[in-house]
Amino acid sequence: MSGPDRFGAYGEGRGDGKDEEGEFPTRGTDAPGGPPDAEGGDADSGHHHDGGAGHGGDLGDGNGEGTPARPLPDPARPPRIPTPRASVEDGGLPLPDLVDPAPLRLEHPVLKSLLGAWALAACSVEETAAVEDHLGGCGACADEARRLREAVGLLQRPESLDLDPGLRTRVLDGCLDRRPPRIPVPGWAMPYDAETARLDALLQDFGDAEWHAPVRLRWFRGEGGVNRRTTVAGVIAHLLAVDGLVAVALGLDDPLAGDRPGDKPAGTPAERTEAFWEASHFPPTRSVRGPWREQAHALVRTVSFTGGGPGTLPVSYGDFELPLRDALLDRAFECWVHAEDIAEAVDYPYAPPAPRHLHDMIDLAARMLPGVLAERRRAGLTAPVSSRHLVAAGQPGRSLRLEIEGLGGGEWLIPLDSPGAVGSADHQVAHVALDDVEFCKLAAGHVSPEEAAAGQVGDRAAIREVLSAAASLSRM
């Protein structure tokens, strides 16, 4: 078709200005908007003359034949696209001298208003210099700048979004210093209160997948390690069952009593845990979190209302007893250890307790070591020592110096031959150095005595006995 009906809508065809053969159409052909052929060709017919200067696709010579020639650029005029400029270093010109900017002279109100931006490192170089120069002579602004920098440090946590585990203790201490509570929590119950709160904060955002994540409980028995497979919910059920020992001693309800009507609940932590798991018709789920947290609140509330008096109340663990203050410290230690087991199962970081609480847990383990050493000797789990010397209760005897490094550490003299003896530096036969968290992992049965990274000096047999006894503190 020729004429106006020959052309389609705009944008049809190749879209790059080429014809079907892949060539650019020439002026004077049947391309849209093209003028008639300069030699009389009919635009409607789409024909043109072959050959000569007017051949389609060739530029004319500007004499009226063919398509008008494109004018050549005038060499006298500057190019339409300028050439790249040369840098100062390549031009051979001298470089400009560096001139230090004049220091800003700002008034005190302006400088004070810039402290927030300075703490966030949002000031310009000149403003930063002016603020820092002003801080050297203004004590009020210096104190405000220090407080702002500390606040910025709390906002910017590049490594982890978790709060410092000691922050809760510091905040509570600050609040209690300003306004003491009517019913204070005894100091020996604070580690348990803090560790149960930290574990509850870890559990609050768990979904069904996390609650059923597999967890392997580990402890040390005799001369080797033992493990038990369960889930996150099963671990909380284990804590609920064993914390019930303290609840029974305080006259509270036993969480196992409803599951075993008419029968006295089992005594040892392992037996209570197995009984609780077996009594459940289905594997424990997230529903166990509520009873565990309510029981923890009840324990802390009860010992607080009694004024801390029953700290010596005996708590039976089936095959041994602990005073209430040590029993709650033991429960705080186990709560932290199993919280780390849970965090490891869901691939989440978990920090150690506050240094003050960690020190109390290590002190409890050090005080229990002489009794565990005696039990292992009675069970035949230690080699006979010719240098062993029994002394009367309260008298100094052979001792090992246990040095625990770290913020929660300290030094303890462990009597080796009798639980009634007194540790003495004059009778020291060995010295062991351990990191605070590493010692706690040893006492929890997560590290074997052979794998404990320890500095050892002195009687090797005594050192081996004490490290093995520390691992024997662990249980399910």
Side-chain angles (χ1 to χ4, degrees), residues 67 85 89 126 148 189-190 193 201 206 212 217 269 296 339 360 393 397 441:
T67 305
R85 292 178 296 177
E89 292 83 352
E126 296 81 6
L148 290 173
M190 286 183 177
D193 184 28
F206 276 16
H212 292 93
L217 302 179
D360 293 341
K441 289 183 177 180

Side-chain angles (χ1 to χ4, degrees), residues 100-454:
D100 293 334
L104 291 179
R105 302 297 181 184
L106 302 176
E107 299 295 333
H108 180 272
V110 178
L111 292 170
K112 186 176 181 180
S113 66
L114 289 175
L115 292 179
W118 173 82
L120 292 170
C123 290
S124 64
V125 178
E126 296 81 6
E127 292 172 341
T128 300
V131 170
E132 293 177 350
D133 183 68
H134 174 69
L135 295 180
C138 181
C141 288
D143 292 339
E144 180 68 17
R146 177 181 56 82
R147 287 193 291 266
L148 290 173
R149 271 290 169 89
E150 292 176 354
V152 170
L154 293 176
L155 295 175
Q156 297 176 349
R157 304 192 64 84
E159 296 181 358
S160 174
L161 297 178
D162 294 328
L163 295 177
D164 181 4
L167 179 61
R168 180 179 186 272
T169 302
R170 293 196 300 271
V171 171
L172 290 177
D173 289 343
C175 295
L176 297 178
D177 288 341
R178 292 176 179 268
R179 184 178 179 181
R182 294 181 180 178
I183 305 175
V185 177
W188 43 267
M190 286 183 177
Y192 177 76
D193 184 28
E195 292 309 309
T196 51
R198 289 210 302 148
L199 176 54
D200 187 59
L202 174 67
L203 300 174
Q204 64 181 353
D205 294 329
F206 276 16
D208 292 338
E210 286 83 5
W211 279 102
H212 292 93
V215 180
R216 190 170 295 278
L217 302 179
R218 296 169 289 168
W219 66 97
F220 191 83
R221 180 190 298 166
E223 296 294 334
V226 184
N227 63 79
R228 180 72 156 80
R229 184 183 177 89
T230 182
T231 63
V232 170
V235 174
I236 303 303
H238 163 62
L239 292 175
L240 173 65
V242 184
D243 286 355
L245 292 171
V246 183
V248 171
L250 290 173
L252 302 177
D253 293 336
D254 188 350
L256 270 65
D259 296 327
R260 300 168 60 92
D263 190 11
K264 183 179 179 180
T268 66
E271 292 172 349
R272 288 177 62 87
T273 301
E274 295 291 350
F276 191 89
W277 286 344
E278 291 176 1
S280 301
H281 298 289
F282 301 98
T285 61
R286 65 166 66 242
S287 61
V288 76
R289 177 193 172 197
W292 166 75
R293 195 69 180 106
E294 291 175 4
Q295 178 177 256
H297 281 306
L299 293 178
V300 175
R301 184 169 54 250
T302 302
V303 299
S304 300
F305 274 110
T306 56
T312 58
L313 180 71
V315 177
S316 174
Y317 281 74
D319 48 2
F320 66 96
E321 288 185 352
L322 285 176
L324 178 61
R325 60 174 65 241
D326 289 344
L328 277 185
L329 198 55
D330 168 78
R331 302 313 305 142
F333 176 78
E334 187 167 357
C335 182
W336 164 46
V337 170
H338 289 321
E340 283 202 335
D341 292 335
I342 293 173
E344 182 180 353
V346 298
D347 196 19
Y348 197 84
Y350 201 80
R356 183 175 62 186
H357 299 164
L358 187 61
H359 175 83
D360 293 341
M361 298 174 188
I362 295 173
D363 177 70
L364 173 62
R367 288 188 283 112
M368 295 177 66
L369 280 177
V372 176
L373 283 170
E375 290 180 3
R376 287 178 59 83
R377 278 194 293 266
R378 287 194 292 266
L381 297 176
T382 59
V385 181
S386 59
S387 59
R388 183 182 172 196
H389 179 65
L390 296 178
V391 297
Q395 297 298 317
R398 285 194 323 134
S399 305
L400 177 142
R401 182 179 297 274
L402 178 63
E403 180 182 356
I404 305 299
E405 302 174 345
L407 296 177
E411 288 191 0
W412 290 264
L413 289 170
I414 310 299
L416 298 174
D417 298 329
S418 174
V422 177
S424 171
D426 296 334
H427 296 79
Q428 176 179 323
V429 298
H431 185 184
V432 175
L434 278 167
D435 177 72
D436 50 4
V437 175
E438 189 73 13
F439 176 78
C440 290
K441 289 183 177 180
L442 175 65
H446 288 194
V447 176
S448 66
E450 295 78 17
E451 296 174 349

